[in-house]
Structure formats: C-alpha cells, structure tokens
Amino acid sequence: MAMGVSLACFVIFVFYVSALSVQASFLYHGFNNSDLILRQGASVEASGLLRLTDSTQFVIGQAFNPNAHQMFDKSSEPVLDVSSFSTTFVFAIVPSSPGSPVGYGLAFVMAPSTTFPGAASEHYLGLFNSSSNGKASNHIFAVEFDTINGHDDPQNSKGNHVGINKNGMRSSASETAEYSYYGSDVKTEVYLDSGDPIQAWIDYSRHSKVVNVTIAPTNVDKPTEPLISYPINLNSVLKETMFVGFSASTGTETSFHYISGWSFAINEQAPALNVSQLPKPPKVDISPPSKFNPLLTVVVPILSAMTLMGIWFLASLFRRRLRDDSLEEWERDCPHRFGYNDLYKATKGFKDSELLGSGGFGSVYRGVLPFTGSEIAVKKITRNSTQGMREFAAEIESLGRLRHKNLVNLQGWCKKKNDLLLVYDYVSNGSLDSLLYHPKHNFVLNWEQRINILKGVAGGLLYLHEEWEQVVIHRDVKPSNVLIDVDMNARLSDFGLARLYDHDQVSHTTSVVGTIGYISPELARTGKASKTTDVFAYGVLILEVACGRRPLESDIFILVDWVMECHERGRILDAADPKLSAVYDMNEMEMVLQLGLLCSHYKPEARPSMRQVTRYLNGDDQIRSVHPPNYSQVTFQSSSGFTQFIPPSSQTSSASFISTSIDLSR
Ligand SMILES: *[C@@H]1O[C@H](CO)[C@@H](O)[C@H](O)[C@H]1NC(C)=O
Ligand SMILES: *[C@@H]1O[C@H](CO)[C@@H](O)[C@H](O)[C@H]1NC(C)=O
Ligand SMILES: *[C@@H]1O[C@H](CO)[C@@H](O)[C@H](O)[C@H]1NC(C)=O
Ligand SMILES: *[C@@H]1O[C@H](CO)[C@@H](O)[C@H](O)[C@H]1NC(C)=O
C-alpha cells in the first residue's frame, strides 16, 4: 500500500520536473484508466483499446492527452522556435464488415483546443468544415492516415495514403502508405484498412525544420527510411500551447478506428512502445468480393441459403449445448461485450457475500476481474425472454460510450440465457443515500462535501442532457443512484437504463419510470420523462442533501412543501440539516435551498436547465428570488396531485416504481 502511494508520487514528480525543463513526455500502453479527453464517439474498450469510431455513419471520434503542451522553446530566443517533438503510436483501421469499403481515415492532431465546433465528418476528419478548411487561423497541424482519396488530396495519390496537413485537408505532402529500408529498392505497401496493427512515427526537428513520418506493420522492424521527410516551419502554424491527440470520422462508408498505444515527447525521443504489451484490435477476415455471375448470384444463394439454414439450425443446437454465451452474428459488432466466465469468476459465482445491493433494475455484485485485478460492479438483470436483445445490445453499446467523471461508467455487458449482466466501474464509498441516512460510525457529510456532491451530480446530468451526442434522460435521479468515490466526488449511476426498457415495451403502455417522491407532477400525469423531469428530481435531491431529510417521511411530511413553508416565513435556514451544527456558509446554504425549490417547481417551464443550475452553483449567476406567496400556493396545489401517487400504507419514500410498474418479463 505505502509502496503504491510512494510510487504514484514519484511518477507525478518526474512529470512536473520534466515539464519545467521544457521536456514533457507521456506513454500509454493501452488506455485502461487513462486520463484521455474523449470526444464525440470515442471510447475506451474493456480491453484497453481506444476506439475512435465504430460502424455508425457520419460520426467523429476524438481523443486528446489532457495536458496543454508548451510548444515554444524559450531557450531559442531571440527567435522563438517550435520545440522538437516526437510521437509514435499503433493504430488499426478495421472494416465494419469483412470486405466492405471503409471510410474514412484517422489523423494525429496538434491543435490549440480539444473541441472543433462545426467541424464535419467524412473527408474533414472532424477537424475542419468547408468554410474553415485551409484558414491560417485554425493553427492545426495534422498527419492523416487516410483510406479514401479526397478532393483536396494530390491527384496522383491513391486512396491508401499518408499526408501532412496544416490548417486544412489539402495535404502539403502526401505519399502512398508504404515502408522501406536504406540500401534496398523495395518499397512495401501498407494497407491502412487491413485491420492489422500499424505503427507510425512522427518526428519534428526544431533545428532542421523537417517533419518525418514513418509507418510499418507492427510485425516488422522500424523502417530506416522515412516515408515522408518534409521541410516545414511550424513556427507560424502552432500556438504557444497545444493539445495533442487523434481524430477520425466516418461517412456513408464506415470503419472502426483503433489506437492501442501512444507515446509523445517534447525535445526528446518519444518513449518506445512495447508492441507485445498492447491490446490487440479485433480480427477481421477479409474475403475478396465475389465476381458477378447471373447463375451464381441467383441459384447459388438460394441453395446455399437452404444449406446455411440447415447448418445454422444444427450449429445453434450444438452451440447452445457447448457454450451458452457463444457469439451470435450481430454480437460481433459489440466491442463492449464481456465473457460470462470472467464475470462469473469475478463475482465468485454471484455469491451473496459479494452482493452490493438490489434495486429496481436488478442485483449488483462486487467483482474483481481475473488477470487484471481491477474492481468492477456487475448488475444482473433477469428477464424472461431474450427478445429484443439486439436492440438492447445496441442501446448498451451506445450507453457504453458515455464517459464523464461524474458518471459511473458502463464498461460493458454480457448475456447468458435470460440474464443480462452490465459491468460498471466499482465506486468505493457507497451511495449518497447511505451516507446521508445510514452513515457508519456517526459520520456526517460536511457542508463542503455536500456542495461538491451537488456540483458533481449537476455536472453528470449536464453531460447527459446537453454535452453528449444524444440527449440522455436519466429518469431516476435520487440519492441511492448517486455513488460516492474515494475522493468524495459524486458519480451518477443507472443513467439511460430506463431507456433500455423502452425498447422492450409496446408503445401503448406508458409506464411511469421513477421513484415516488422524485416524480414531477407533469410526469405523473403524462408519463413523459424529459430534461425538466430530471431537473425536478434533482431539485428534490438538493433539498435532501441540504436538509438531511427524505422527500416523504410520512403521509404528512413533504420535504418540498416544508422548505417552502420555512421560506415563506422568511426563515429558510430553519430547513438546514441540524446535523451540520450550523457549520456552513449561510449565503451558500440559502442559495442551495432556493435552488432546490426552483428546480422542484411544479411548473416545468419555471425550472432552470442543468447548465443554468451549474451557473448558480458556481456563483456565476445570482438566483432570482422566488416570490413566496404565489409560489407556495401553486406548490401546494401541485402537491396534492403529487401525493396521490403515494400508496396509503407507504412509510418509506424509496419504494421504487420501477419494480412495480415495469414488468421485466414482458
Ligand atoms: C486492460 O484491461 C483489460 C481487462 O479489463 C485487460 O484484459 C488488459 O490486459 C488491460 N490492459 C493493460 C495494458 O493493462
Ligand atoms: C465551420 O467551422 C467554424 C469554426 O471552425 C465554425 O465557426 C462554423 O460555424 C462552421 N461552419 C458550419 C457551417 O458549421
Ligand atoms: C528525418 O529523416 C532524415 C532522413 O533519414 C534524417 O536525416 C533526419 O535526421 C530525420 N529527422 C528527424 C527529426 O527525425
Ligand atoms: C516487452 O514486453 C514483453 C512482455 O511483457 C517482455 O517480455 C519484453 O522484455 C518487453 N520488451 C522490452 C524491449 O521491454
């Protein structure tokens, strides 16, 4: 333990010292638990592979090292020169299905920012668009590894090419992808879209102002002759601080773009990669497309379809006998899939001793993955049918790409007979619910921790609502779905799961998903979840955190109404949690209580967006004062509509609607 801590400190120390002497470097062997900034479709797979894009059309995927690198070498004054730099990485471009055309390429990128507003996919690789393309104000340097010849590429270049680009997609230099050694005339072409791992080296020298690019399959020695050695002065291209990373995109044609390892250094050679230690990209077997022949194209398919059906039938019987979790055809496109045996071992066979809890969606087990030793949480959902599995899987694949520091990341999934297993990051400090209401050893969350948790939940919700490629409605925001990590940061769990169930429901059944006490009046009436119904639930959560009381403690105690009463009497601080012993910033407490009331306002249009909530919490905006008399009247009206949802005998507020209103077996 102590060893581990001191080792971690040592690594950080080395980094900072080298940063001061204008040398900086980093090295990733796989991207497990890496600090990469992932944008748009990019995600890190369970194997540690960074996947920039998948078979989705017209997507962009980007990943950046989080450090802004100081690119100008102050020691070179009076002329300020861009420092020498060096990078090497291993990538693979895997066609979406064997033999199909691929699109598009990927690029190593140096840019002043990690976001590219308005940038287009396809040929623009997520970096430029038709109006920004070629503008000197972009300050972007890129080396593209492209599989399709774009209109900006030199006429003589083939689809399979490597190019050096500054500020746009028109390459300053471009070559067919190949490698060679000095003293030999042989040039060997490297098929970028072969799906095989390919290593690339890019070096820039401040003294000679030349950039060299070299590529080779990972199973041969590093070529001694660079593919491109191009004189370029980057002084006018790069800005003082730059981010480095990768960008890739797809179009109508798609392919999986993977990076398995990467190193980078300024003013020194990039650390060498040990290729044998990198995660392997998935294998494809590319069979050549068949030639057209009328007889073959009509008769053979019919015959072979019949044969195949027979074989398939027999094979599926056998498969079911042999291994229940064997892959079906469509599952091969699901890189987040885990092996059942690994999860079984990890959780000691789903032993009760490993049970972390049970909730509306199933039981959750703690696990330790064999081989890696990394801790996971496995949610087991039992369904009575495997219908709709494919849609389920597609949804999970999409949820698996959500990545945010305030979310419990979904690492992957597995199905076995009727069990669906969802694999999540393990978060060690339990739920906010248990910390607020059942703390161990009389532990009391202090005000600073509470504010930090509220900000964290807001950050996670903001990401789901506004910052990801699609809007994700959580639908079950409540303290038991907020997990607290070792640093006491909040991480939202169970997001998007409700949406999974939508695929499983016939559309005419509108089940209310959510938990009593957190369901907004309009959600109760219409069953329609939206961003504002999430904000309502978040408002209730704010009040719980500030007051230390549950939303409904008995048939007559309704937290929102009680806080409103305190507010009306001009004594809103009376609502503050007495366990805090008045140790808090009064203005901040008042702001938080008011924000709770505003978010849980009965009128959806009165509730702020999560972005606005974040601004209030950070003190960027002053909360507008809610006018008590009018407001309370309507709140009281609303609360009658809201309480009629409480079963008469209900004593606790945590009875989840999900378990009662959704029949998982459907
Ligand atoms: C990353 O984690 C996966 C399993 O989660 C493991 O198989 C792989 O070996 C790990 N990679 C590295 C480089 O540690
Ligand atoms: C093109 O990109 C620029 C910035 O790079 C952005 O301001 C502009 O809105 C984009 N144009 C379109 C049509 O998206
Ligand atoms: C680029 O390649 C040339 C030719 O091999 C070599 O002389 C030069 O040192 C290389 N420059 C860098 C920055 O690696
Ligand atoms: C690369 O990793 C392998 C396996 O971990 C190890 O045996 C080998 O010595 C390493 N090579 C280098 C050059 O470090």
Side-chain angles (χ1 to χ4, degrees):
M1 186 65 190
M3 276 272 291
V5 170
S6 57
L7 186 65
C9 295
F10 176 71
V11 172
I12 291 162
F13 178 68
V14 169
F15 176 79
Y16 280 110
V17 167
S18 48
L20 288 178
S21 63
V22 213
Q23 285 189 339
S25 73
F26 58 77
L27 168 67
Y28 300 95
H29 269 133
F31 296 89
N32 283 350
N33 307 316
S34 75
D35 56 358
L36 287 186
I37 298 175
L38 299 176
R39 298 264 177 232
Q40 311 215 38
S43 68
V44 173
E45 296 189 349
S47 64
L49 271 181
L50 164 63
R51 189 185 65 201
L52 296 169
T53 65
D54 58 16
S55 54
T56 316
Q57 291 184 326
F58 303 103
V59 288
I60 295 168
Q62 298 170 326
F64 289 89
N65 175 267
N67 302 311
H69 290 280
Q70 182 63 45
M71 288 316 301
F72 281 85
D73 194 339
K74 294 274 186 339
S75 70
S76 69
E77 275 173 333
V79 187
L80 218 48
D81 267 337
V82 162
S83 303
S84 300
F85 62 85
S86 161
T87 188
T88 180
F89 52 91
V90 172
F91 68 94
I93 301 178
V94 180
S96 295
S97 53
S100 69
V102 295
Y104 279 66
L106 69 89
F108 167 78
V109 183
M110 300 178 85
S113 155
T114 62
T115 54
F116 304 83
S121 60
E122 299 178 277
H123 173 61
Y124 291 112
L125 300 184
L127 297 173
F128 310 103
N129 61 30
S130 54
S131 53
S132 67
N133 193 23
K135 297 248 165 76
S137 56
N138 289 329
H139 295 285
I140 292 174
F141 171 73
V143 178
E144 62 168 313
F145 300 83
D146 208 349
T147 55
I148 295 184
N149 203 11
H151 41 84
D152 276 343
D153 292 315
Q155 288 302 310
N156 58 356
S157 89
K158 292 200 277 171
N160 188 44
H161 68 276
V162 177
I164 291 178
N165 298 9
K166 54 177 195 191
N167 296 325
M169 290 318 295
R170 182 178 294 277
S171 300
S172 315
S174 169
E175 292 291 340
T176 296
E178 53 194 10
Y179 67 95
S180 60
Y181 299 90
Y182 281 119
S184 154
D185 299 336
V186 183
K187 286 186 188 293
T188 312
E189 184 155 0
V190 181
Y191 295 95
L192 297 177
D193 58 7
S194 64
D196 294 330
I198 296 165
Q199 184 161 6
W201 295 262
I202 301 168
D203 296 280
Y204 174 75
S205 156
R206 157 165 103 77
H207 306 287
S208 61
K209 303 212 165 32
V210 166
V211 66
N212 286 352
V213 181
T214 309
I215 58 165
T218 53
N219 55 3
V220 305
D221 290 339
K222 179 179 176 182
T224 50
E225 192 171 16
L227 169 63
I228 301 177
S229 187
Y230 180 72
I232 183 172
N233 186 339
L234 289 180
N235 288 359
S236 60
V237 181
L238 301 195
K239 284 196 148 179
E240 192 163 336
T241 56
M242 297 290 281
F243 290 91
V244 291
F246 300 94
S247 185
S249 66
T250 64
T252 41
E253 312 297 357
T254 65
S255 38
F256 292 81
H257 291 97
Y258 295 103
I259 312 277
S260 59
W262 177 29
S263 72
F264 175 86
I266 293 178
N267 285 331
E268 58 185 340
Q269 197 62 41
L273 298 176
N274 186 336
V275 171
S276 67
Q277 287 179 7
L278 303 180
K280 303 274 177 294
K283 273 260 163 266
V284 276
D285 65 304
I286 304 177
S287 38
S290 55
K291 298 251 160 54
F292 181 77
N293 174 321
L295 189 71
L296 286 181
T297 48
V298 180
V299 180
V300 172
I302 294 174
L303 286 178
S304 54
M306 287 165 69
T307 327
L308 278 177
M309 276 168 70
I311 293 176
W312 174 81
F313 181 72
L314 287 176
S316 60
L317 280 181
F318 266 96
R319 263 199 320 213
R320 228 153 264 173
R321 284 245 163 125
L322 291 173
R323 271 180 69 209
D324 276 302
D325 63 336
S326 59
L327 289 187
E328 284 168 30
E329 180 60 30
W330 56 268
E331 290 175 65
R332 290 204 300 170
D333 271 353
C334 300
H336 289 94
R337 200 176 178 284
F338 275 71
Y340 180 79
N341 289 342
D342 288 345
L343 297 184
Y344 188 85
K345 273 190 210 135
T347 55
K348 303 186 181 160
F350 300 101
K351 219 173 168 179
D352 282 350
S353 62
E354 307 305 299
L355 192 65
L356 290 170
S358 316
F361 283 114
S363 309
V364 184
Y365 296 84
R366 195 186 85 92
V368 177
L369 278 180
F371 313 119
T372 62
S374 57
E375 283 184 303
I376 49 170
V378 182
K379 176 164 293 203
K380 187 172 173 191
I381 301 170
T382 302
R383 311 164 76 241
N384 290 338
S385 101
T386 47
Q387 264 181 7
M389 261 320 291
R390 194 183 183 130
E391 289 72 22
F392 241 81
E395 192 71 77
I396 296 169
E397 283 298 317
S398 138
L399 291 177
R401 287 191 283 118
L402 286 159
R403 283 283 180 275
H404 189 271
K405 65 177 170 28
N406 295 115
L407 296 183
V408 180
N409 293 324
L410 177 63
Q411 295 188 7
W413 63 284
C414 163
K415 98 176 153 67
K416 161 100 174 176
K417 290 189 184 154
N418 294 340
D419 287 344
L420 181 70
L421 304 171
L422 300 178
V423 181
Y424 289 95
D425 296 350
Y426 177 73
V427 182
S428 58
N429 265 336
S431 73
L432 174 60
D433 187 85
S434 61
L435 286 178
L436 274 180
Y437 303 119
H438 316 282
K440 288 188 190 132
H441 316 298
N442 295 323
F443 169 83
V444 176
L445 279 171
N446 68 32
W447 182 240
E448 225 182 344
Q449 290 166 330
R450 293 186 198 207
I451 284 275
N452 183 46
I453 288 169
L454 289 177
K455 285 181 179 169
V457 178
L461 272 177
L462 175 62
Y463 174 78
L464 293 177
H465 285 182
E466 296 183 25
E467 292 178 343
W468 198 51
E469 59 201 51
Q470 299 166 20
V471 174
V472 177
I473 309 298
H474 187 294
R475 303 207 213 189
D476 204 13
V477 176
K478 57 179 175 180
S480 58
N481 277 338
V482 173
L483 302 186
I484 308 296
D485 70 17
V486 274
D487 301 320
M488 299 305 283
N489 291 316
R491 300 187 49 187
L492 260 174
S493 75
D494 268 10
F495 47 84
L497 273 196
R499 212 165 58 140
L500 288 179
Y501 282 87
D502 280 357
H503 286 283
D504 211 27
Q505 299 284 321
V506 237
S507 51
H508 63 256
T509 56
T510 12
S511 305
V512 179
V513 177
T515 303
I516 294 166
Y518 303 86
I519 298 172
S520 67
E522 81 276 12
L523 175 59
R525 276 199 299 273
T526 65
K528 207 165 172 300
S530 65
K531 290 192 227 178
T532 51
T533 59
D534 272 359
V535 172
F536 180 93
Y538 175 71
V540 176
L541 181 140
I542 292 185
L543 296 180
E544 286 187 79
V545 169
C547 309
R549 301 186 70 165
R550 291 194 184 272
L552 310 166
E553 285 184 353
S554 66
D555 289 357
I556 54 160
F557 180 87
I558 297 165
L559 180 61
V560 181
D561 294 352
W562 176 66
V563 177
M564 197 63 229
E565 280 169 43
C566 297
H567 180 42
E568 256 186 320
R569 290 201 308 266
R571 301 187 53 93
I572 198 168
L573 291 180
D574 285 357
D577 187 350
K579 290 193 289 300
L580 288 169
S581 315
V583 183
Y584 50 76
D585 177 326
M586 291 205 300
N587 291 332
E588 211 173 26
M589 176 63 89
E590 188 166 341
M591 179 272 288
V592 164
L593 287 166
Q594 297 232 21
L595 183 59
L597 288 177
L598 192 60
C599 291
S600 54
H601 197 289
Y602 88 108
K603 270 185 169 171
E605 59 276 16
R607 295 172 210 150
S609 68
M610 284 316 297
R611 187 170 299 282
Q612 188 58 48
V613 166
T614 311
R615 294 186 59 81
Y616 289 139
L617 283 173
N618 291 335
D620 297 337
D621 277 336
Q622 290 289 319
I623 200 156
R624 67 194 142 89
S625 184
V626 264
H627 193 255
N630 281 339
Y631 179 83
S632 80
Q633 261 178 354
V634 284
T635 315
F636 278 119
Q637 279 165 17
S638 78
S639 64
S640 54
F642 170 63
T643 43
Q644 78 192 21
F645 261 82
I646 309 166
S649 62
S650 165
Q651 287 297 313
T652 64
S653 59
S654 57
S656 174
F657 250 11
I658 299 157
S659 47
T660 53
S661 67
I662 292 207
D663 179 4
L664 298 188
S665 63
R666 220 226 47 79

